[in-house]
Amino acid sequence: MSSHSEDLLSAALAYHRLPRPGKLEIQAIKPLVNQRDLALAYSPGVAAACNEIAKDPAEVASLTARANLVAVVSNGSAVLGLGNIGPLASKPVMEGKAVLFKKFAGIDVFDIEIKADTIERVVDTVAALEPTFGGINLEDIRGPECFSIEAQLKERMKIPVFHDDQHGTAIIVGAAIVNALLLNGKKLPDVKIVCSGAGAAAIACLNLLVSLGAQRKNIWVCDIDGVVHEGRNTSMDPWKAVYAQTTDARVLADVIPGADIFLGLSAPNVLRPEMVKQMVDKPLVMALANPVPEIMPDEARKGRPDAMICTGRSDFPNQVNNVLCFPFIFRGALDVGATEINEEMKHAAVDAIAQLARDPPSDAVACGCDANETQGFGPGSLIPSPFDPRLILRIAPAVAKAAMDSGVATRPIKNFDEYRGLLERFAFRSGLVMRPMFAKAKTQPVRVIYAEGEDERVLRATQVVLEEKLARPILVGRPSVVETRINRFGLSIKAGEDFDLVNPEDDPRYRSYVQSYIDIAGRRGATPDAARTVVRTNNTVIAALAVVRGEADVMLCGVEGRYMSHLRHVREIIGFLPGTSDYAALALMITRKGSYFIADTQVRPSPSAEELAEMASLAALHVQRFNFKPKVAFVSHSDFGSYDTDSSHKMRRATQLLKEKHPELEADGEMQGDTALSAAARRIVLPQSRLEGEANILIMPTLDAANIAYQTIKVLADALPVGPILIGPARPAHILTPGVTARGVLNMTAVAAVEAQERAGRPQLG
């Protein structure tokens, strides 16, 4: 065994052992902190829920976790590549499957390992679990028994039963084949398919391909005993016999000539380069044996340089990985209360996966690609990445709709736009919080200018801005660079058609931009020569001038470079809102506990009480745009007078100033952080506090305090930041930070767009 393999095994064991054994835990989602909570959760209150379900069994979906609970069931008879190692040894795999369900689709799972060796015992055991679960995922059960087990369970149970080893693989294989045939201009009924392997996954793949249009006469199957043919008696079963051909061919080499598709679900190195050479032009080679495929990609290309290749490995393109579909198929099935997962639902999943691969890649996928690798749909990208966050947004609604159309949905979805919005909480952690912003931005798209228009993150965000119709983008960048990078990243946007482009090296408005800069900054040391240089070389200056000149409604910058450098130009050109002394930065932190806004994280080192009050009132405006009621806490080391320091006096005075100027705002201070976030703690210290519930705006006494809190929360609470949101400029302008993602740019586009809309048409607070 290599040292690399030994290191991996050692790390894997440590991963499973520490800091606690296993990969799962069960958490309560309702409070259980006092006697009343106990009475509601258990006796006597729980009787109310029990009686409702007894009267109407459908109420189980709204009163218990069943509608979001799946059983991952195995008897350990065919575990990964380990074989029949038994149910106990299969538990780490089943826990892993549970983690994937939760991670990718928010589905809760109990892993259930059963000591059951016969078809009858497996069926009886699993069928008896129906009252507990909304769905059953069968896992690592050997063939051919798995066919009978699944068929009998589907007949007996009125919830989805899905053997992922069969159908998950089949769905992804189907999507890859759909796209490969699209690229080489062939039709599924016309192609010759040669399959190496005749186990559960292989037979399920072939069955699905037949249901999609492949013809049985064009399918040739080989297993350990050679070609599956009429009259063969060894290692045959009813499911394999369906694909028996009348032929004298006996080995894989006899049937591979002229094949369009090789589908391998068998053993390492069974396909040789000289066999691949005998396939047709632009063949699809799906060598899915793991960890060593039927043929390595470089060997396959020796036989056919034009071959399209899929493997089951993560270190090659086109990985066939079941996580691409099973969490999202169950998500859609559970959300409509489907009684089964039928062919129509599987076809819908195939179509959704295939279509997603044809769309421009998301930034979440692109960040793991080589910078010089051309991305986008093609022979090297027939199927999406397992980490594409859009998978759930495409597959779950498609499966749900197919369930409804085929008559197996018991809780049909009434509004699919709302449903897709709810799914965003799984695709993007910011999804639910940002929904109001996205909805408002779409109502009246404004012109957003991006200073760093050549940056990959900005270009990817621009693609989505256009798809979502959030804004009218304007990019500052050199046309040749922008075009080259759009092509490299596999995007489908075009300058001049989809977005406007300001060329800093040769824009016809250059002279007038220089004059505008002189008019604004000439009395602050900007000579004509300096103005000409800065307008030619500083994209933030160009973007700010575009906003001031009315050629854009809002600007975003800061993706590259230092925050304070961008801030200096924004201050100089954009200026301040009337009555505002300086800018401040508001950071939104989206945590599992809730969403919190922190200020000032970037600008003012030690703001005065007056500045803090001003900052809080302006922050409240932005918070209202998120459809949150502003609840302001002036945070301090002091808790309502517990310390008598300059800092506590400042926060106390800031609170008073805000109350005087904006009595309508819910605000209080000075208070400690835990007091701000706990109504119970606040009642003990100050029962008459004007602040109700949790504060959602935390005004910090200094830049140090705000930035440290922001960075600490981001790491310790695994919080997702949105921003920084610049408060106080005369016109909408925001400075991002170099660590921002394309999704972060997109989120801030929506924030900025809504601000621009409201600035143009609605009075500001105060």
Side-chain angles (χ1 to χ4, degrees):
M1 182 181 292
S2 70
S3 61
H4 175 75
S5 298
E6 290 174 353
D7 288 345
L8 180 63
L9 292 175
S10 176
L13 291 174
Y15 174 88
H16 283 80
R17 283 194 176 111
L18 303 170
R20 293 166 55 190
K23 296 189 283 280
L24 295 172
E25 68 176 0
I26 295 174
Q27 285 189 334
I29 59 171
K30 299 293 171 66
L32 196 62
V33 296
N34 53 45
Q35 191 64 37
R36 178 168 175 78
D37 290 342
L38 185 60
L40 294 172
Y42 200 56
S43 180
V46 72
C50 294
N51 287 330
E52 285 297 307
I53 296 169
K55 287 188 293 185
D56 181 3
E59 283 294 315
V60 72
S62 60
L63 292 171
T64 75
R66 182 177 186 265
N68 194 53
L69 186 61
V70 166
V72 172
V73 182
S74 180
N75 65 357
S77 58
V79 181
L80 296 177
L82 304 175
N84 187 1
I85 60 175
L88 192 63
S90 78
K91 189 170 180 63
V93 179
M94 302 312 120
E95 283 190 357
K97 196 80 170 191
V99 170
L100 296 178
F101 267 108
K102 188 66 174 180
K103 169 70 175 175
F104 288 100
I107 294 171
D108 295 315
V109 165
F110 289 156
D111 64 291
I112 298 179
E113 296 74 33
I114 57 175
K115 191 173 182 180
D117 296 329
T118 66
I119 291 173
E120 293 73 19
R121 190 168 182 188
V122 172
V123 170
D124 287 343
T125 302
V126 177
L129 299 173
E130 183 169 357
T132 301
F133 296 100
I136 303 290
N137 186 90
L138 299 174
E139 192 76 17
D140 291 353
I141 300 175
R142 68 187 171 203
E145 292 96 324
C146 59
F147 296 114
S148 293
I149 288 169
E150 185 187 38
Q152 290 184 41
L153 287 173
K154 290 179 76 170
E155 182 69 26
R156 288 177 59 172
M157 304 178 80
K158 297 302 179 185
I159 58 174
V161 177
F162 187 80
H163 188 201
D164 182 49
D165 298 331
Q166 295 181 48
H167 308 300
T169 302
I171 287 165
I172 303 158
V173 165
I177 288 175
V178 165
N179 279 342
L181 296 181
L182 184 66
L183 287 173
N184 61 26
K186 300 175 183 177
K187 303 294 184 184
L188 188 56
D190 303 329
V191 297
K192 178 180 178 181
I193 301 169
V194 173
C195 180
S196 175
I203 297 300
C205 287
L206 297 177
N207 290 346
L208 182 63
L209 290 174
V210 169
S211 73
L212 288 168
Q215 297 193 61
R216 280 191 173 87
K217 67 179 183 180
N218 295 334
I219 297 173
W220 301 78
V221 179
C222 302
D223 63 8
I224 196 169
D225 291 314
V227 174
V228 175
H229 62 272
E230 292 284 353
R232 193 180 107 172
N233 297 317
T234 57
S235 303
M236 292 296 287
D237 58 59
W239 299 276
K240 190 187 302 185
V242 169
Y243 295 99
Q245 295 274 21
T246 302
T247 179
D248 293 330
R250 291 298 180 264
V251 295
L252 178 62
D254 295 338
V255 295
I256 199 70
D260 298 273
I261 298 168
F262 170 81
L263 175 59
L265 290 147
S266 55
N269 304 316
V270 299
L271 185 67
R272 300 187 301 276
E274 57 268 27
M275 294 181 182
V276 180
K277 191 172 184 177
Q278 297 178 65
M279 298 177 73
V280 300
D281 291 345
K282 299 180 181 178
L284 173 62
V285 175
M286 306 193 77
L288 306 183
N290 241 340
V292 182
E294 287 77 5
I295 187 168
M296 294 296 287
D298 57 339
E299 290 294 305
R301 290 195 177 92
K302 287 181 182 178
R304 272 284 175 197
D306 61 346
M308 293 176 276
I309 303 168
C310 298
T311 71
R313 293 171 50 139
S314 60
D315 53 347
F316 292 107
N318 291 323
Q319 182 195 14
V320 174
N321 188 329
N322 289 9
V323 79
L324 271 166
C325 68
F326 73 80
F328 317 121
I329 290 172
F330 268 98
R331 180 75 275 161
L334 292 172
D335 289 340
V336 294
T339 56
E340 64 175 311
I341 294 175
N342 57 27
E343 287 300 300
E344 292 87 348
M345 294 160 76
K346 288 187 278 185
H347 287 190
V350 169
D351 292 342
I353 294 169
Q355 179 58 59
L356 182 57
R358 299 195 289 269
D359 289 348
S362 77
D363 66 295
V365 174
C367 66
C369 296
D370 187 282
N372 298 316
E373 182 182 341
T374 300
Q375 300 163 17
F377 178 57
S381 186
L382 296 174
I383 45 182
S385 162
F387 292 98
D388 194 318
R390 301 168 296 178
L391 283 163
I392 192 170
L393 302 178
R394 304 295 183 84
I395 299 173
V399 169
K401 188 174 188 307
M404 291 163 56
D405 292 344
S406 60
V408 298
T410 61
R411 298 189 305 275
I413 291 168
K414 296 182 173 62
N415 187 318
F416 269 88
D417 288 336
E418 289 182 3
Y419 177 56
R420 290 185 186 93
L422 290 172
L423 291 175
E424 287 190 356
R425 71 190 187 274
F426 304 116
F428 306 106
R429 287 170 55 194
S430 60
L432 280 180
V433 176
M434 291 303 302
R435 277 183 65 197
M437 287 295 187
F438 279 73
K440 292 176 188 176
K442 293 178 183 181
T443 60
Q444 189 182 349
V446 301
R447 299 163 298 172
V448 178
I449 187 166
Y450 302 89
E452 295 91 359
E454 297 175 2
D455 189 277
E456 177 181 354
R457 293 161 293 178
V458 171
L459 291 169
R460 291 189 182 282
T462 299
Q463 174 85 46
V464 183
V465 165
L466 290 162
E467 290 172 355
E468 298 284 340
K469 298 181 175 61
L470 291 180
R472 296 194 290 275
I474 305 167
L475 274 58
V476 182
R478 294 162 292 178
S480 61
V481 175
V482 170
E483 183 179 2
T484 297
R485 291 183 178 179
I486 285 173
N487 292 334
R488 180 192 303 167
F489 305 142
L491 305 177
S492 60
I493 53 177
K494 292 183 179 179
E497 295 181 21
D498 300 309
F499 62 89
D500 295 324
L501 191 63
V502 178
N503 181 2
E505 294 181 342
D506 184 25
D507 191 276
R509 295 164 291 187
Y510 170 69
R511 291 181 183 276
S512 62
Y513 269 55
V514 170
Q515 188 58 52
S516 295
Y517 186 65
I518 293 171
D519 292 343
I520 293 168
R523 293 185 180 275
R524 292 193 293 274
T527 66
D529 284 345
R532 282 190 285 272
T533 300
V534 77
V535 172
R536 183 74 78 191
T537 60
N538 194 297
N539 289 7
T540 296
V541 169
I542 294 171
L545 288 170
V547 172
V548 169
R549 288 161 55 91
E551 295 168 2
D553 301 301
V554 62
M555 67 171 284
L556 292 179
C557 64
V559 175
E560 300 169 0
R562 293 183 177 275
Y563 188 94
M564 296 308 291
S565 298
H566 295 284
L567 185 69
R568 177 166 58 84
H569 293 300
V570 172
R571 269 197 185 112
E572 180 182 56
I573 298 168
I574 300 288
F576 304 109
L577 277 171
T580 302
S581 58
D582 199 357
Y583 300 141
L586 181 68
L588 166 59
M589 308 298 292
I590 302 173
T591 75
R592 291 180 175 85
K593 190 174 186 294
S595 298
Y596 306 95
F597 297 80
I598 301 174
D600 169 15
T601 59
Q602 300 285 346
V603 181
R604 308 189 200 195
S606 185
S608 67
E610 288 76 13
E611 290 175 318
L612 291 169
E614 170 191 289
M615 190 189 302
S617 66
L618 293 172
L621 283 171
H622 284 284
V623 172
Q624 286 173 339
R625 295 186 184 114
F626 285 88
N627 285 358
F628 294 139
K629 182 181 180 181
K631 294 174 177 287
V632 181
F634 289 90
V635 183
S636 171
H637 66 286
S638 176
D639 220 14
F640 299 110
S642 63
Y643 282 81
D644 191 22
T645 62
D646 289 343
S647 176
S648 63
H649 289 170
K650 179 175 74 171
M651 301 309 283
R652 215 172 298 159
R653 176 163 168 73
T655 304
Q656 186 59 38
L657 289 170
L658 184 67
K659 288 178 180 178
E660 290 171 359
K661 191 168 183 181
H662 293 291
E664 76 282 5
L665 284 178
E666 217 175 286
D668 215 335
E670 86 284 11
M671 69 179 77
Q672 293 176 351
D674 59 341
T675 308
L677 299 176
S678 169
R682 200 160 50 253
R683 279 194 297 270
I684 294 170
V685 180
L686 191 73
Q688 68 271 30
S689 173
R690 293 182 69 249
L691 186 61
E692 296 180 3
E694 286 189 348
N696 54 21
I697 302 175
L698 306 177
I699 303 296
M700 300 288 180
T702 65
L703 175 60
D704 280 349
N707 196 271
I708 291 168
Y710 162 72
Q711 301 292 355
T712 303
I713 293 169
K714 186 167 65 172
V715 176
L716 293 183
D718 190 26
L720 180 72
V722 176
I725 301 167
L726 191 63
I727 54 181
R731 298 169 187 264
H734 297 281
I735 306 169
L736 308 179
T737 57
V740 72
T741 63
R743 184 71 190 185
V745 175
L746 180 69
N747 285 338
M748 278 306 299
T749 298
V751 171
V754 172
E755 180 189 8
Q757 290 173 351
E758 294 191 2
R759 291 274 199 109
R762 197 174 90 181
Q764 301 294 293
L765 182 68

